[in-house]
Amino acid sequence: GIGPGSKQSSRSDYRVTDYQYGGGLAYEPFRWLRADVRTAFLRVDVQSGTDQRFPDMQPHGHYVMPVVLDGVTEAVLVLYLPHGHPADRDQIEFLEATGRILAGLIDQERTRRALEASREEALAQSEAKSRFLATMSHEIRTPLGGVLGVAELLRDTDLDQGQRDLVNTLISSGQLLGALINDVLDMSKIEAGKLELEARSFDPRELVRSTLDLFGARARSKGLSLNAEMHGLQHVVGDPLRLAQVANNLVGNALKFTEEGGIVLRARY
C-alpha cells in the first residue's frame, strides 16, 4: 500500500487512509504522499495516553493535498477535519483547484525572481563593460596624443611634398582614430546614462574646415574631391564635439561608399 493501513477509495484520483495516531508519528503519512496522488483523505484514530504533546486530542481527519509544479511536490496542504467528516468530492475538487492556483503563483514568483536576477546580471555586465571601455579609451588616447603631437612637429620641418603627404596622412589617420575613441566613450556614457551635452559658443565654420582637413588625405587617395558649402554660419551656442562627430560620420560614410566624383558637405544656419 501507499501508507500505514492504506486502502484505495472508489475515486481513482485520491486516496482514503486509516491511520492509528500515537507514538509521535503525527506526520508519518505525509511521507508517502506523492505528486501522483492528487489528494489524500486521512482518518486519524487516537490511542489514549500514547502521545503527551496533545493529551486532549480527539479522533479527527485531514485533507492532505500536494501542491505540484512540473511533477515536483513543492508544498503540502493539510486541512483539519472533525471526527466523522466524510470525504467530499466537491471539497476535494475545490482544494485541487486551490492547489493549482498556488502552483501557478509559485511559478510566477520563481519567474519574477529569475527575471530580476537576469536584469541585475545584465546591468552589472553593462556597467563593467562601460568601465572597461572608458578605461581602455583613456589608455589609448594618451599615447595617441603623443603620436599626433610628434607628427605635427614633423610636418613643420623641411619636408618634400611626398614626405609631407605621408605625414598629413599619418595625422589624418590619428585624428580619425581619436574621433572613433570619442564615439566609443560616448557609447559607454549613453549606456550608463551619463552623457551630457555641452552648451558653449563656437564657430561652426572652423568645425567644417576641420572635418575637411581630417578627411582630405583619404579623399585624395581615392581620387575624390572634397569640398564644403557654408551659408549664414556664424558663432553659435551648442556642443561642438557632438556636431563634429556627426559631420565626421557623414563624410566618412560618403567616402566609404563613393567610388568616383566628389563629396560636398553643406552646412547652413
Side-chain angles (χ1 to χ4, degrees):
I2 60 173
S6 65
K7 64 181 179 180
Q8 182 71 42
S9 74
S10 59
R11 180 182 165 110
S12 61
D13 53 4
Y14 70 90
R15 309 275 181 163
V16 175
T17 300
D18 293 317
Y19 180 70
Q20 189 70 26
Y21 182 83
L25 299 178
Y27 293 99
E28 182 70 23
F30 303 157
R31 297 180 183 179
W32 48 260
L33 190 63
R34 307 184 308 271
D36 59 342
V37 179
R38 291 172 58 185
T39 303
F41 177 68
L42 189 64
R43 288 192 291 255
V44 180
D45 193 7
V46 178
Q47 294 179 341
S48 177
T50 59
D51 194 301
Q52 300 303 315
R53 292 175 300 172
F54 305 104
D56 297 328
M57 181 176 287
Q58 301 297 320
H60 60 278
H62 290 290
Y63 282 128
V64 185
M65 184 198 69
V67 178
V68 181
L69 180 62
D70 296 329
V72 178
T73 300
E74 301 291 346
V76 176
L77 294 182
V78 181
L79 278 76
Y80 181 91
L81 300 173
H83 178 59
H85 190 290
D88 184 272
R89 174 184 294 272
D90 291 337
Q91 292 178 348
I92 289 174
E93 289 179 351
F94 174 78
L95 290 175
E96 290 173 349
T98 303
R100 289 191 293 270
I101 293 174
L102 291 175
L105 293 175
I106 292 173
D107 189 38
Q108 290 178 9
E109 178 62 17
R110 286 182 176 174
T111 301
R112 185 193 67 79
R113 292 184 180 183
L115 290 174
E116 182 66 22
S118 298
R119 176 180 176 276
E120 292 179 356
E121 182 180 359
L123 289 175
Q125 291 178 352
S126 177
E127 183 178 353
K129 182 181 70 174
S130 297
R131 289 197 302 267
F132 172 78
L133 290 175
T135 301
M136 290 303 298
S137 298
H138 175 74
E139 294 298 326
I140 294 173
R141 286 169 63 92
T142 301
L144 178 60
V147 171
L148 289 175
V150 171
E152 290 173 354
L153 291 174
L154 180 61
R155 185 172 56 182
D156 294 335
T157 62
D158 187 14
L159 302 174
D160 60 36
Q161 188 58 47
Q163 292 171 329
R164 191 171 301 279
D165 289 340
L166 291 175
V167 173
N168 286 332
T169 300
L170 174 61
I171 294 174
S172 296
S173 298
Q175 290 172 338
L176 282 173
L177 181 57
L180 178 60
I181 293 172
N182 287 334
D183 289 342
V184 172
L185 281 171
D186 284 345
M187 285 299 299
S188 64
K189 290 180 180 178
I190 290 172
E191 291 181 351
K194 298 179 179 179
L195 181 65
E196 295 181 359
L197 297 178
E198 288 186 310
R200 61 185 178 89
S201 178
F202 69 97
D203 188 347
R205 292 169 296 185
E206 290 297 327
L207 185 150
V208 173
R209 281 192 287 267
S210 296
T211 299
L212 297 184
D213 292 341
L214 181 62
F215 291 95
R218 183 177 170 188
R220 289 190 295 272
S221 68
K222 294 187 66 173
L224 302 173
S225 63
L226 178 59
N227 299 290
E229 293 180 1
M230 295 178 282
H231 303 282
L233 296 181
Q234 53 187 344
H235 280 81
V236 297
V237 175
D239 191 328
L241 176 60
R242 306 294 177 256
L243 289 176
Q245 288 175 327
V246 172
N248 291 343
N249 287 333
L250 289 174
V251 176
N253 286 331
L255 283 172
K256 183 187 300 184
F257 297 107
T258 303
E259 300 299 330
E260 60 182 16
I263 298 168
V264 177
L265 176 60
R266 295 184 175 90
R268 293 184 175 86
Y269 177 73

